[in-house]
Amino acid sequence: MYKGYSGKILRINLTNQRIDVELTSKDLARRFVGGTGYASYLLYQELAQGIEPLGPENKLIFCTGPVTGTVWPTAGRMAVVSKSPLTGIWAESHVGGHLGPEMKFAGYDFIIIEGQASQPTVLSIVDEDVQFHSGSLYWGLKTLKASRLIRRDLGQQHGHVAVIGPAGENLVRYSSIMIDGARAAGRTGLGAVMGQKNLKGILVRGTGEVSVADPARFRTLWQDGHDRVQTNPQALEMRKYGTAILVATKQSIGELPTYNHREGVFEGWDRISAETFHDHYYHTTRACGTCRLACKKAFRIDKGPHKGLITEGPEYEGIMAMGSNVGIDDVPTILVTQHLCNEYGMDVISAGATASFLMELAENGLLTEEELAKLDIQWGNTEALIELMHEIAQRKGLGDLAAEGSHRIAQEKGEQAKPFDMTVKGMEISGQDGRAHRSMALGHAVGARGADHLRNLVTMDQLAYKEVAAERFGKDKLPEICDPYVETHKALATVVTEKVYTIRDSLIVCWYTCSWPPIFWVEDFAPLLASVTGEPAFDSVDEMMQIGTRLVTMKRAFNVREGIRRKDDQLPRRFTHEPFLKGPSKGQTVNLEPMLDEYYQLYGWDVTTGIPTQETLNKLGLDEIAKDLQSRGILSS
């Protein structure tokens, strides 16, 4: 096996408590690298078409990459892959902290969870010792307490724990998996998959190490990488304030989602700015393994009804979701609601977006008195928002409806509710808006897991990185590629970015430092991967970009098999037909179709259907995928 990999896959069947250890495939590592790239092939091969996400046939794959567990900047991350109970298609969620490196130290590149336990269960993985434990004592507990008790009871205070909270147990469709109670594998509802499997938590402790093929070259690369992170002005600003600094940036360009994406500017933005959080609520700074960016902030409330609360976060997305997009400019409310999301184990973006959707439904008289049940769900109502978080996790009152997510609610409510449904492929749109940022319009529309901001977000037209844009996409693409209000070259920017990001997600390293701030790119990843693994082909930028094309197409093939077509790569009508009424992006709407045409053409997918062609699949070495799609009548021979 290449260096950098542990060389083993741990397979755990909860139904019969069977444990198997398999070898990581060198051939698959060469073709798909690791992380979500490698896992996309595994999931395609191991899941039958059309299986129920909340059924025992679904699987969870905990993923690391060849760089995980090394000292490269931001290499402390991991990912979880499955079929989403929120969307019914490809699901992946990335998370920081220390569990990913601990998996590698324990000797595993991937952990595959399959089947369904007959009762609440906790797994412990301490190097080669894998055991099943009763999870009954922890069932019903919130995530932080459950994590602490599992470590204590299993005698592994230095272990790291992935747990679900009551939201996952109650199958909230956007419930999350929480790492050590504070870091969230949040999007796509993977906590519900664990809940359906009666798996409360997984403790991992490893005593091994990760070896690299060329230590001298790797040392030079990581030392240079750390130096670049520590001297980058934006990285230093993020170290001080965290991702909350985006609030002011988004407001300034008219892209701060407000009132369920009706507008892109919020009157109370300065009361929820990074400076407000830092100056009045800052408690301490935390970081993921090997990361000197240290963007994680913990905050403390010193007065008022929530006095004494200390919580990690929120990120920009949480501030948007529980702030501007629901009409709230009260920091304590934002801290409390995001803390509840962490404690109950549910995605803060989807929880907040569903709340804003319900507020617009209520505003338009589309919720019954029985559904409201005395919950005054209105814009800016802080008490109602907090109560709604409790109700969602417990599936009580209006929360039982909200736990299904915006898209299912809209389908149940009918045509009158659909204009207020801000989802793509069933997943709530995150804290961006294509009317102010055309490449993001395309990115949201084509995202493999739905409305995504981390798999293909281009920052060139958002933050006007002209020199970086010229370097990455060519000087001849300026000035259009940096103009946020035109569609020209946005498909190219999205495709190139998406390829590089999927390589990043196979290494696995963090989104930050790749495009915001724009420190590392594929020219850095190629020599890094070669120095770690010893595979000379990885040293080629062209080869890495070809791998990136393969990985994006592999995820698309999974979704195509589940029924996704061009008709699903669309945005809510609000983005394409309802211009902003104020702010810097006033009057803007999205012309999506020309960008979609170019996007499919650049990947070699059929422009009419959005299905990868046989020629493209064969060219990418995905012949077996082409044959499978042909056998199902999806791809013509």
Side-chain angles (χ1 to χ4, degrees), residues 83 100 141 167 207 268-269 321 324 378 414 608 618:
K83 185 176 181 181
L141 296 183
T207 59
W269 74 270
S324 60
Q378 294 185 18
T608 303
N618 291 341

Side-chain angles (χ1 to χ4, degrees), residues 377-388:
I377 191 77
Q378 294 185 18
W379 305 115
N381 189 327
T382 59
E383 293 181 1
L385 183 68
I386 292 171
E387 179 59 28
L388 181 63

Side-chain angles (χ1 to χ4, degrees), residues 533-568:
T533 64
E535 168 52 62
F538 290 154
D539 222 346
S540 164
V541 169
D542 289 342
E543 177 63 19
M544 293 306 295
M545 293 301 284
Q546 179 76 346
I547 292 173
T549 305
R550 181 180 300 126
L551 304 187
V552 174
T553 303
M554 186 69 243
K555 294 177 187 179
R556 183 67 178 192
F558 181 92
N559 280 347
V560 161
R561 191 181 67 174
E562 297 303 317
I564 292 297
R565 301 291 186 270
R566 176 174 178 142
K567 64 179 176 55
D568 303 294

Side-chain angles (χ1 to χ4, degrees), residues 253-323:
I253 61 177
E255 199 196 13
L256 181 61
T258 300
Y259 301 121
N260 198 27
H261 286 271
R262 283 207 299 239
E263 292 295 344
V265 290
F266 181 49
E267 289 184 2
W269 74 270
D270 56 331
R271 290 187 286 276
I272 58 173
S273 68
E275 290 78 9
T276 301
F277 275 88
H278 182 272
D279 294 348
H280 300 286
Y281 300 93
Y282 175 77
H283 179 63
T284 192
T285 290
R286 294 170 179 158
C288 302
T290 75
C291 180
R292 295 188 182 180
L293 192 68
C295 68
K296 304 302 179 186
K297 308 301 167 190
F299 298 99
R300 180 182 65 248
I301 299 176
D302 288 331
K303 57 185 179 180
H306 307 293
K307 180 180 179 179
L309 175 67
I310 298 175
T311 184
E312 185 170 326
E315 305 291 336
Y316 157 73
E317 292 288 343
I319 298 172
M320 173 279 305
M322 299 298 179

